[in-house]
Amino acid sequence: LTLQSKLISYYSYDYTEAKNEMQYFVQNIFNIFFNSFLLAHLHCIRLYFKHQQKEIYMKDKIDYIVQQIKSKKFNIRAVCRNSGVSNATIYKINQGHGSNVRPYIIDTLYNYFKNIGE
């Protein structure tokens, strides 16, 4: 038996009551799926903006690091030795390829230059 026929037999062939019950059931199912769909999309949008905000924050840090390196106040070999970051990584950041560097390395260099500057 289908759901519709079960509802009709349950309400003793009262078609209007069965029809109303079926419409209510379909509307509830639609609301559940639609709300789930909206929540999933809102979650994706939130993650996207969180990622964008993190990229902007990292870009500011990278710009600060490049500015410090290009100011020639620091010997790059000494920076490598004292911060623990490889020479190749610092040159990569200095050439503008800092977006490929891992975030913890950017944080390490940023903190190093901030502590030296204070």
Side-chain angles (χ1 to χ4, degrees):
L1 292 173
T2 65
L3 180 63
Q4 190 172 11
S5 62
K6 284 181 183 178
L7 287 173
I8 290 171
S9 64
Y10 176 76
Y11 288 107
S12 304
Y13 299 104
D14 184 3
Y15 292 111
T16 57
E17 191 67 32
K19 183 180 174 186
N20 291 341
E21 188 70 27
M22 187 63 133
Q23 286 174 347
Y24 179 75
F25 173 75
V26 169
Q27 181 137 12
N28 280 342
I29 293 294
F30 174 78
N31 287 339
I32 289 170
F33 284 119
F34 186 70
N35 289 339
S36 300
F37 176 78
L38 281 180
L39 286 175
H41 276 69
L42 287 174
H43 180 69
C44 291
I45 290 169
R46 192 185 76 203
L47 289 178
Y48 173 76
F49 282 117
K50 185 176 181 182
H51 178 72
Q52 292 294 94
Q53 183 180 14
K54 187 175 183 179
E55 279 187 8
I56 291 169
Y57 180 67
M58 292 304 283
K59 180 74 174 137
D60 291 343
K61 283 186 173 184
I62 292 169
D63 290 343
Y64 177 77
I65 293 168
V66 170
Q67 177 187 6
Q68 293 300 316
I69 292 171
K70 289 187 177 182
S71 70
K72 302 195 189 263
K73 288 192 287 185
F74 301 100
N75 182 357
I76 292 183
R77 290 185 186 177
V79 171
C80 295
R81 190 175 342 103
N82 296 331
S83 68
V85 178
S86 71
N87 204 3
T89 303
I90 291 179
Y91 281 117
K92 189 191 306 185
I93 293 169
N94 195 22
Q95 292 171 356
H97 302 290
S99 61
N100 298 333
V101 179
R102 296 186 180 196
Y104 76 90
I105 293 175
I106 300 294
D107 287 337
T108 301
L109 282 172
Y110 182 79
N111 292 335
Y112 173 78
F113 285 121
K114 280 291 188 184
N115 290 338
I116 293 295
E118 292 176 353

